[in-house]
């Protein structure tokens, strides 16, 4: 596939100037001048808007926003906004999306957008009997929970199911945990679920005679999984001086390391989350909830392991799959308040939460492959260092053309340190 090019300059996206990239995106995604400006960080989140979002506000905090290229998700071209401070991530995702594209891109799907609300019920004379009493009132509780959110109910959402477990701890003795499964449609759902759980509490106390303590969403959203898979044609893995079969087999061995060892899995999954968090953040979603859910899901067997799985098909092509909870929304919360989040969704052409989840999980898989491929071949430091060198050059005070020139010199000298960058700048000034 050809890299996206600017109509007038025929440059690749990464070769365009900032202004050319903005014009290219505006034309491609049909962005208005206001939306394009918002994505450019101008005027950005005002302190007044921020003041309505959290407490004790003094301003807003910026991160670079880049657009990953080449993503084909369920046959649709997607421009992917990524908010991240780490070099190489956006380039890595774009490159791997290009390799995946040669195999048909990413195929992704999700289940129903069902979140879990938890309720802890203490001080029961007989937990087993209390459990039965709740189950006898299952329908009534489901209906009461659904009635809590008129808008969601109108959109076809609401409580779907209810289950009760008996847990035990030396501190409390037996207690009940009720799970309410709640279809939150296009919302992330925390507010809807927490409201429903608080609303049900007095009813549950009346039914059981117990005392309700916690009423809160679970971030282990394993009823709201997103899945993506891709096939990388073997030939795409050729990377001088490595032959493609060798690269594939070493990628598989690198994945096996993560599958077998929690110490490696934690870093392997960080690579996945580099992609996931950047899009979750750019679209104004709760990345802490997504992070916590991901790692809890990775440990669901009782042993923390890789979220992804890599293998090879009958033709020797590399195959990858990723499955994880993806509680993201496109309505409510910061997705609505933050202008940049709205513009990001428009850029992606996303109109439903499940479409966003499918793109995010595809980016996670691409990012994982970028890290594995680099680690299984030349290592990550070479690519990383040239970008890092630009940051160091800028931090040392280089401006304009100096940034690139200074960064190149730091890499050539194999000494990417701010002290050396400042020294070189001084030498240039004297000369
Ligand atoms: C760095 O942010 C992410 C990696 O460490 C991921 C990995 O090791 O797979 C490169």
């Amino acid at each position: 596939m050809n890299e996206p090019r600017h109509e007038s300059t025929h440059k690749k996206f990464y070769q365009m100037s900032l202004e050319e990239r903005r014009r290219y995106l505006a034309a491609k995604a049909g962005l208005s001048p206001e939306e394009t400006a918002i994505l450019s960080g101008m005027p950005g989140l005002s302190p007044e808007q921020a003041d309505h979002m959290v407490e004790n506000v003094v301003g807003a905090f910026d991160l670079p926003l880049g657009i990953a290229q080449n993503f084909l998700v369920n046959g649709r071209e997607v421009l992917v906004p990524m908010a991240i401070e780490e070099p190489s991530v956006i380039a890595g995702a774009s490159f791997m999306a290009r390799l995946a594209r040669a195999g048909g891109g990413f195929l992704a799907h999700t289940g129903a957008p069902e979140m879990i609300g938890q309720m802890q019920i203490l001080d029961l004379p007989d937990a087993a009997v209390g459990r039965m009493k709740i189950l006898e009132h299952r329908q009534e509780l489901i209906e009461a929970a659904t009635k809590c959110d008129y808008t969601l109910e109108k959109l076809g959402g609401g409580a779907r199911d209810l289950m009760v477990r008996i847990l035990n701890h030396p501190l409390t003795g037996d207690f009940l945990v009720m799970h309410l499964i709640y279809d939150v449609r296009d919302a992330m759902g925390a507010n809807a679920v927490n409201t429903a759980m608080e609303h049900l509490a007095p009813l549950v106390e009346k039914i059981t005679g117990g005392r309700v303590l916690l009423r809160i969403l679970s971030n282990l959203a394993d009823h709201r999984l997103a899945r993506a898979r891709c096939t990388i044609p073997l030939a795409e893995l050729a990377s001088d001086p490595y032959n493609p079969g060798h690269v594939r087999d070493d990628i598989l061995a690198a994945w096996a390391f993560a599958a077998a060892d929690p110490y490696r899995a934690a870093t392997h999954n960080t690579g996945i989350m580099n992609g996931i968090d950047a899009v979750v953040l750019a679209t104004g979603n709760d990345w802490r909830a997504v992070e916590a859910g991901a790692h809890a899901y990775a440990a669901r067997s009782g042993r923390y392991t890789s979220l992804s799985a890599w293998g090879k098909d009958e033709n020797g092509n590399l195959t990858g799959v990723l499955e994880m909870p993806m509680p993201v929304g496109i309505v409510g919360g910061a997705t609505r308040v933050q202008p940049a989040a709205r513009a990001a969704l428009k850029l992606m052409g996303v109109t439903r939460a499940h479409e966003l989840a499918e793109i995010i999980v595809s980016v996670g898989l691409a990012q994982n492959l970028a890290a594995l491929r680099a680690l299984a071949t030349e290592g990550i430091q070479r690519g990383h260092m040239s970008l890092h060198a630009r940051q160091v050059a800028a931090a040392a005070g280089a401006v304009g053309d100096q940034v690139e020139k200074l960064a190149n010199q730091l890499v050539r000298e194999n000494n990417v340190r701010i002290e050396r960058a400042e020294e070189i700048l001084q030498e240039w000034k004297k000369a």
Side-chain angles (χ1 to χ4, degrees), residues 25-26 28-45 65-67 78-82 279 281-284 330 334-351 356:
L25 287 184
K28 189 125 187 190
L31 300 180
S32 69
E34 292 73 33
E35 286 161 339
T36 314
I38 285 167
L39 274 184
S40 316
M42 293 171 290
L45 187 68
L65 179 73
I67 312 296
V78 195
L79 294 163
V80 184
M82 300 178 76
V279 190
L281 202 51
T283 55
I330 60 162
T335 45
R336 179 151 299 249
V337 185
Q338 242 176 334
R342 297 236 62 79
L345 290 173
K346 166 120 186 234
L347 181 80
M348 298 166 96
V350 158
T351 56
L356 176 61

Side-chain angles (χ1 to χ4, degrees), residues 191-214:
N191 278 333
V193 171
N194 292 339
T195 304
M197 297 316 284
E198 291 193 4
H199 179 76
L200 292 188
L203 213 56
V204 171
E205 285 188 336
K206 206 165 128 214
I207 291 168
T208 59
R211 179 171 69 91
V212 169
L213 189 59
L214 298 200

Side-chain angles (χ1 to χ4, degrees), residues 86 264 267-268 270-271 274 368 371-372 375 380:
E86 183 168 325
R264 171 59 203 151
T267 325
H268 174 98
T270 302
N274 276 343
N368 183 215
L372 291 181
L375 289 166
I380 61 161

Side-chain angles (χ1 to χ4, degrees), residues 301-362:
S301 69
R303 190 176 59 83
Y304 186 83
T305 186
S306 165
L307 281 164
S308 62
W310 291 92
K312 60 182 173 184
D313 68 12
E314 60 284 6
N315 300 316
N317 302 316
L318 181 69
T319 58
V321 299
L322 175 62
E323 176 186 82
M324 57 187 287
M326 195 49 66
V328 290
I330 60 162
V331 294
T335 45
R336 179 151 299 249
V337 185
Q338 242 176 334
R342 297 236 62 79
L345 290 173
K346 166 120 186 234
L347 181 80
M348 298 166 96
V350 158
T351 56
R352 300 298 309 270
H354 73 86
E355 292 167 356
L356 176 61
E358 287 157 5
I359 294 168
I360 292 174
V361 81
S362 301

